[in-house]
Amino acid sequence: MGTMFRSEKMVLCQIFIQSEIAYDTVSQLGEAECVQFRDLHHDVNAFQRKFVTEVRRCEEMERKINSIEDIIKYSNRSIPYDENLSPTTHRAPEIKDIWNLETNLEKYELDIRKLNENKKKLKSTYNRLTEKRQVLEMIHNFFSEVGLVNLNSRQISLQDFEQNFSALNLIVGVIEPQRRYSFERMLWRITHSKAYVKSDGLQFYLKDQITGQLLLRNVFVIIFFQGQELRSRVLKICQGFHAEIYKYPKTFDLRLKMLKNLLNAEKDLKTTIIETEVQLSLAINSILGSLSIWKTGIKKSKAIFEALNKFSINVSRNCLVAECWLPLIDLLKVQKALNDGRSDESAVEPLLTIIDTNDIPPTFYRTSVFTEGFQNLIDAYGVASYGEANPALYTIITFPFLFAVMFGDLGHGLILFVCGIWLCFWEKTLEKKSWGEIWKIFFGGRYIILLMGLFSIYTGFVYNEVFSKSINLFNSSWIIDFNSSTVQSNPKLQLNPKNPSKGTYPIGVDPIWMLAENKIIFLNTYKMKMSIIFGVIHMFFGVCMSVVNFRDFKKPANILLEFLPKIIFLGLLFGYLVFMMFFKWIQYSAKADNQADSAGCAPSILVMFINMMLFKSSKPLKGCNEFMFNGQKEVQNVFISIGIVCIPWMLLGKPLYIKFKRRQSNIINSTEEEIPADESRLLIEPFPDRELDVEDIQDNKPLSEIFIYQAIHTIEYVLSTISHTASYLRLWALSLAHAQLAEVLWKRVLSLALKSDTSLGFIMIYLIFGAWAMFTLVILVMMEGLSAFLHTLRLHWVEFMSKFYSGEGYLFKPFSFKSILKTED
């Protein structure tokens, strides 16, 4: 957790590796996951680098692996997944092994591909033979039935029927059913109704041996008595509609002979297909268990060669030179990885040296499965500058809490909490599921959902709201000083605050408020003031966090010139506003003996704050005081005056300080010219070196730009202090909206079933409860939850983080086989 407060200390190192052990050394560094290589050839085309040939060979092997996997999936075989297979269980293969695998893989891929293509061709031929056989059988049965009808009616003899049938000019084929009617209309128009088309009742289903689907086929017979010209027209129409034409013998004996030959051909072809599938299955089984290992090894080898392409070549020493960022704490771990990568034949050990640089290092936080989701929320806005305080550490608590202030309902929070428990408890099983990008987002934020549900349960308990209803745990603290008949007969009865009570309700809102007609007015005031209080505290904390950055960047002057005027300005205006809220709650009471301290004389905080800003006054009610305490007007005038002074303090303080510092630097430089070299060295050495950060770069700009930048920064802070305070009112607005939606669903949906007194009431309860539960999950939990999540995200990104966070850094992305394989998968 300590590393989340600020980025780990990063150092830039230079590594000298002998060429013959470079592959093995980088492989060890990929397992260590500690170094981020810098590209020393950023101006060189990717196709002109030293190891581009090796990268291409690895990509070709990946293509072959994917081709084999496609054939396996096409064959309805599943590729076994080894749960023990991970980036650490199987290291990158040796360089000689990867090239041996390339040769073997080419042979495997060629054999399997040829067998698969032969199987496809055989099945396609089998489909055509089966279709032709079924067409001939159907047409043979059709003409046989026609002949029998004519013979039975003694209209024609068997010999005459055969002779007439042989003289027919006919075409037999198959067409898709959806094209049948268009096909027949086209034939009728082209032949001028001189051709007879028969297709009704001539349909059959054909099982496609390739896809396994049942395909509907429509058989047609075209009979005409014209010459060859009309036949050629009809054939062109058949070709245009993608109809399959088959030759049809015109004698009974020839038809039977052809059908017999087709049946024998189908039988032989079926046997050949089975033998081909057996050979293909054997070829697949021989490599099926090794595919995952090969695929992982190829990806690792490809990543190693891509990393080697970032290295520079030292020809004189016959070695490769790499530059990399790494955490200072992992220096020994990297040195061990370098030593492990050295082979026995290599006499020269890899050399690791730390080099000085003015480049800004990458930002690196060590996160766990719990903190990773919160860190991703911050990184989505912008990666923290190196050395800058990390807001994610505090967001772990503030984010779910502010969400819960808007989403506060014990029942809805319990639903979120149960979902979070399910995602976290079975995370190892659910991590392997691939249910789309939205699922990955929800699963990545599982611990955020868990805490949001837990905090929502707490705030719902404080609001005393469970699906818009209240819980009477400690009995109401109000005492009703009326008899039963008065309470039941007077709907406008009011409880007098002056009456004796049992004391303050132990925790949260008294449940009797849920029965009051002025419930909305009470909760409106309560939640609005609570939102302002939380907002001002949150902004105060953000401004105070800037002190941490100034101290770490060794800029104590900024504490005086930036932090102090900002905190005074915020405290004297909006801190004072929060103070007046608490003072009003304490000062005024319904039981006060003095009229000026009674609840009716309590002034409006908003009106008082506006009068304070405009130096105005309002006439109080008779018997009341304009101010809460003596001397309040003078105190407010002093606060406003000091706040106005803070504006030029923020505007001119830092630019004038930089101008003074530059003048002092010029005086020192002019003095050094008159001092001998040895003495000037003594004057320079005591000043400690410090890493360059973003503010150093801004301070080195021309003075005019610094004044403009500071003016923009000051105007933005002054205006945003007002707008950001108002922005926290979204806590109040969304909380009221959520409570009212829950109440509407209860009264307008579920109450319809609860009020039923008929014998079928239990059926109504069953049906209406289902509708109420669906609306609750979809509208109140999912839609309202997403809305509250986005508003909470905005409060952190804009209102909180803008007080101290620049977010101009870049992430540390170590060379890691684990992350590379996860990204590609």
Side-chain angles (χ1 to χ4, degrees):
M1 187 65 71
T3 57
M4 281 199 68
F5 182 75
R6 187 179 287 109
S7 172
E8 288 199 8
K9 181 75 173 178
M10 307 295 293
V11 292
L12 181 63
C13 294
Q14 200 171 46
I15 305 176
F16 296 86
I17 311 172
Q18 293 298 311
S19 299
E20 59 270 12
I21 64 170
Y23 180 90
D24 296 330
T25 303
V26 175
S27 174
Q28 293 293 335
L29 293 175
E31 303 291 349
E33 304 177 356
C34 296
V35 298
Q36 176 181 336
F37 294 112
R38 300 177 70 183
D39 191 356
L40 302 181
H41 300 286
H42 55 83
D43 55 344
V44 179
N45 192 304
F47 299 100
Q48 298 175 345
R49 305 199 179 194
K50 179 176 176 58
F51 298 95
V52 63
T53 304
E54 287 79 0
V55 173
R56 287 181 176 179
R57 291 170 70 179
C58 291
E59 289 177 348
E60 179 63 18
M61 285 190 284
E62 283 185 330
R63 185 199 64 78
K64 292 175 181 178
I65 289 283
N66 294 332
S67 176
I68 293 174
E69 288 182 346
D70 292 339
I71 294 173
I72 293 173
K73 293 176 182 177
Y74 170 77
S75 303
N76 295 325
R77 298 284 298 276
S78 60
I79 301 174
Y81 175 77
D82 187 3
E83 296 183 354
N84 297 322
L85 180 63
S86 65
T88 56
T89 53
H90 292 86
R91 296 187 177 273
E94 299 288 339
I95 193 166
K96 60 180 181 180
D97 295 335
I98 196 69
W99 302 140
N100 291 335
L101 175 60
E102 181 185 24
T103 304
N104 296 330
L105 195 59
E106 183 176 1
K107 178 180 178 298
Y108 292 140
E109 193 262 345
L110 182 61
D111 294 342
I112 292 176
R113 181 164 51 83
K114 283 186 176 180
L115 288 171
N116 186 62
E117 289 176 355
N118 291 337
K119 186 182 75 170
K120 285 185 177 180
K121 291 179 181 178
L122 291 172
K123 286 188 174 182
S124 178
T125 305
Y126 185 84
N127 287 338
R128 184 174 176 83
L129 286 176
T130 304
E131 184 179 74
K132 185 176 181 179
R133 176 182 57 79
Q134 292 184 339
V135 169
L136 292 180
E137 288 178 350
M138 186 168 289
I139 298 301
H140 177 72
N141 295 332
F142 168 71
F143 283 114
S144 298
E145 290 175 2
V146 173
L148 289 175
V149 170
N150 291 326
L151 290 174
N152 293 333
S153 61
R154 300 182 182 275
Q155 295 177 358
I156 189 172
S157 64
L158 179 61
Q159 183 179 3
D160 293 337
F161 177 78
E162 286 288 339
Q163 291 177 354
N164 293 336
F165 182 74
S166 300
L168 290 176
N169 192 0
L170 59 87
I171 296 175
V172 177
V174 178
I175 192 172
E176 295 180 359
Q178 60 267 25
R179 297 180 179 177
R180 169 190 164 192
Y181 296 107
S182 300
F183 175 67
E184 291 180 359
R185 287 198 301 268
M186 182 62 70
L187 282 174
W188 182 81
R189 291 175 182 175
I190 295 298
T191 61
H192 302 288
S193 68
K194 294 179 181 179
Y196 171 74
V197 183
K198 171 62 179 177
S199 60
D200 293 332
L202 302 179
Q203 289 183 339
F204 66 91
Y205 282 94
L206 174 68
K207 183 178 181 181
D208 192 341
Q209 295 297 320
I210 298 177
T211 62
Q213 297 179 351
L214 287 177
L215 305 177
L216 181 62
R217 290 289 184 262
N218 209 107
V219 181
F220 63 87
V221 181
I222 306 173
I223 305 173
F224 51 89
F225 301 93
Q226 297 295 331
Q228 188 65 28
E229 182 179 356
L230 184 58
R231 180 181 178 87
S232 62
R233 290 184 184 179
V234 173
L235 290 176
K236 288 182 180 179
I237 295 173
C238 294
Q239 184 180 1
F241 279 87
H242 302 285
E244 192 72 29
I245 305 299
Y246 293 105
K247 292 183 179 181
Y248 186 76
K250 295 184 179 181
T251 64
F252 183 79
D253 295 335
L254 289 177
R255 290 196 295 271
L256 290 179
K257 184 178 181 180
M258 179 177 283
L259 286 173
K260 185 177 180 180
N261 293 337
L262 288 175
L263 287 172
N264 293 332
E266 280 187 51
K267 184 178 180 181
D268 296 339
L269 197 58
K270 186 68 174 178
T271 304
T272 307
I273 291 174
I274 294 174
E275 292 177 356
T276 306
E277 288 180 340
V278 170
Q279 293 179 5
L280 179 60
S281 179
L282 291 175
I284 290 175
N285 290 336
S286 64
I287 64 171
L288 193 60
S290 304
L291 274 180
S292 299
I293 300 174
W294 290 350
K295 194 172 184 178
T296 302
I298 292 170
K299 288 181 179 180
K300 287 187 175 183
S301 297
K302 177 186 173 183
I304 292 172
F305 288 123
E306 288 177 343
L308 289 173
N309 274 333
K310 299 179 181 180
F311 296 5
S312 64
I313 303 173
N314 191 326
V315 181
S316 61
R317 298 184 180 181
N318 189 27
C319 68
L320 300 177
V321 182
E323 290 185 3
C324 59
W325 293 105
L326 58 93
L328 182 60
I329 195 173
D330 292 333
L331 199 60
L332 295 177
K333 185 178 179 181
V334 174
Q335 185 64 58
K336 181 179 182 302
L338 294 175
N339 294 331
D340 293 340
R342 184 172 67 92
S343 60
D344 298 334
E345 294 83 8
S346 177
V348 181
E349 295 184 0
L351 180 62
L352 175 67
T353 59
I354 299 176
I355 59 177
D356 296 330
T357 180
N358 287 331
D359 295 343
I360 299 176
T363 302
F364 176 52
Y365 305 107
R366 297 187 191 271
T367 58
S368 62
V369 292
F370 175 73
T371 59
E372 184 179 6
F374 295 96
Q375 188 63 57
N376 290 336
L377 285 181
I378 303 302
D379 292 342
Y381 174 80
V383 180
S385 301
Y386 180 70
E388 192 173 28
N390 183 20
L393 182 62
Y394 318 104
T395 304
I396 295 175
I397 298 300
T398 59
F399 189 91
F401 176 74
L402 293 182
F403 170 87
V405 172
M406 293 182 275
F407 195 74
D409 189 290
L410 197 150
H412 302 152
L414 185 61
I415 295 174
L416 268 186
F417 182 72
V418 171
C419 291
I421 287 289
W422 174 67
L423 290 172
C424 296
F425 192 78
W426 284 278
E427 61 180 7
K428 292 185 178 179
T429 303
L430 297 174
E431 189 176 9
K432 302 173 185 176
K433 304 294 183 181
S434 55
W435 292 337
E437 292 297 324
I438 297 179
W439 162 254
K440 291 181 181 179
I441 294 174
F442 275 98
F443 182 75
R446 57 193 180 278
Y447 288 99
I448 301 177
I449 296 175
L450 178 68
L451 288 186
M452 289 193 306
L454 184 62
F455 277 75
S456 297
I457 292 175
Y458 167 73
T459 54
F461 184 73
V462 172
Y463 294 158
N464 205 349
E465 292 183 4
V466 186
F467 299 114
S468 79
K469 311 308 288 183
S470 61
I471 303 176
N472 189 6
L473 292 178
F474 307 104
N475 293 325
S476 176
S477 296
W478 288 83
I479 295 178
I480 302 177
D481 194 17
F482 301 101
N483 55 32
S484 301
S485 59
T486 303
V487 172
Q488 295 175 2
S489 61
N490 191 352
K492 300 297 183 181
L493 188 65
Q494 295 183 356
L495 299 180
N496 192 343
K498 294 182 179 181
N499 288 342
S501 63
K502 301 177 183 177
T504 306
Y505 195 71
I507 182 172
V509 178
D510 195 309
I512 202 171
W513 280 108
M514 294 299 170
L515 304 176
E517 290 189 358
N518 61 337
K519 176 185 69 173
I520 297 297
I521 299 175
F522 166 72
L523 292 178
N524 184 42
T525 305
Y526 165 66
K527 292 184 178 181
M528 181 180 66
K529 292 180 179 178
M530 180 186 65
S531 301
I532 296 295
I533 293 171
F534 287 153
V536 172
I537 294 174
H538 202 211
M539 289 191 296
F540 258 101
F541 181 62
V543 176
C544 293
M545 284 301 300
S546 63
V547 178
V548 178
N549 290 331
F550 295 149
R551 184 181 62 83
D552 185 68
F553 292 148
K554 300 179 181 178
K555 293 185 176 182
N558 285 3
I559 298 177
L560 177 64
L561 301 176
E562 288 193 6
F563 164 73
L564 203 56
K566 286 181 179 180
I567 200 71
I568 291 175
F569 184 84
L570 181 63
L572 295 184
L573 297 183
F574 296 97
Y576 175 69
L577 176 66
V578 172
F579 165 77
M580 286 194 295
M581 292 179 185
F582 284 98
F583 190 82
K584 178 180 177 180
W585 289 335
I586 297 172
Q587 180 68 19
Y588 298 94
S589 172
K591 299 180 181 180
D593 297 331
N594 188 7
Q595 181 182 354
D597 295 333
S598 62
C601 288
S604 171
I605 300 295
L606 180 61
V607 173
M608 183 175 291
F609 185 74
I610 293 174
N611 291 338
M612 168 185 167
M613 301 297 295
L614 300 178
F615 293 97
K616 290 176 57 180
S617 60
S618 299
K619 185 177 180 181
L621 297 175
K622 185 177 181 181
C624 300
N625 296 328
E626 180 181 359
F627 297 102
M628 296 183 183
F629 56 88
N630 296 329
Q632 183 180 1
K633 181 177 181 180
E634 290 74 16
V635 170
Q636 292 180 167
N637 291 337
V638 171
F639 286 175
I640 289 293
S641 302
I642 297 176
I644 293 174
V645 171
C646 290
I647 296 176
W649 187 355
M650 288 184 285
L651 179 64
L652 302 175
K654 185 176 178 181
L656 293 178
Y657 171 74
I658 294 174
K659 182 179 180 180
F660 173 77
K661 193 166 63 171
R662 289 182 180 179
R663 182 179 298 175
Q664 292 294 109
S665 178
N666 292 334
I667 294 174
I668 293 175
N669 291 335
S670 62
T671 306
E672 288 178 356
E673 295 177 357
E674 302 176 359
I675 299 176
D678 295 339
E679 297 182 12
S680 63
R681 181 177 56 83
L682 294 175
L683 291 175
I684 296 174
E685 282 184 354
F687 293 95
D689 294 331
R690 183 173 59 84
E691 292 178 352
L692 188 68
D693 57 64
V694 178
E695 293 196 9
D696 288 331
I697 299 174
Q698 295 174 350
D699 293 350
N700 291 329
K701 292 181 178 180
L703 199 60
S704 59
E705 294 187 15
I706 294 177
F707 271 101
I708 294 174
Y709 172 80
Q710 193 65 24
I712 295 173
H713 184 69
T714 302
I715 294 172
E716 180 185 8
Y717 178 78
V718 172
L719 295 180
S720 66
T721 303
I722 302 171
S723 63
H724 289 179
T725 305
S727 183
Y728 279 93
L729 291 175
R730 68 186 70 234
L731 299 173
W732 153 58
L734 266 74
S735 177
L736 282 180
H738 185 83
Q740 289 303 302
L741 279 173
E743 187 173 355
V744 167
L745 276 181
W746 185 282
K747 289 184 177 180
R748 302 300 180 187
V749 179
L750 192 60
S751 294
L752 297 177
L754 298 177
K755 293 178 181 179
S756 176
D757 54 357
T758 63
S759 58
L760 299 178
F762 69 95
I763 299 178
M764 291 185 60
I765 292 177
Y766 179 80
L767 297 177
I768 295 178
F769 176 80
W772 174 80
M774 182 189 69
F775 287 136
T776 298
L777 290 175
V778 174
I779 298 177
L780 292 179
V781 177
M782 296 181 65
M783 294 180 61
E784 281 286 311
L786 181 60
S787 175
F789 179 89
L790 295 177
H791 283 286
T792 308
L793 197 61
R794 183 237 152 79
L795 290 177
H796 281 79
W797 280 359
V798 180
E799 278 73 20
F800 172 61
M801 289 163 52
S802 63
K803 302 296 187 295
F804 67 98
Y805 188 74
S806 62
E808 298 179 356
Y810 63 100
L811 278 177
F812 173 68
K813 297 180 180 179
F815 176 66
S816 166
F817 290 139
K818 183 178 179 180
S819 60
I820 291 172
L821 295 176
K822 184 178 180 181
T823 302
E824 291 190 4
D825 290 341

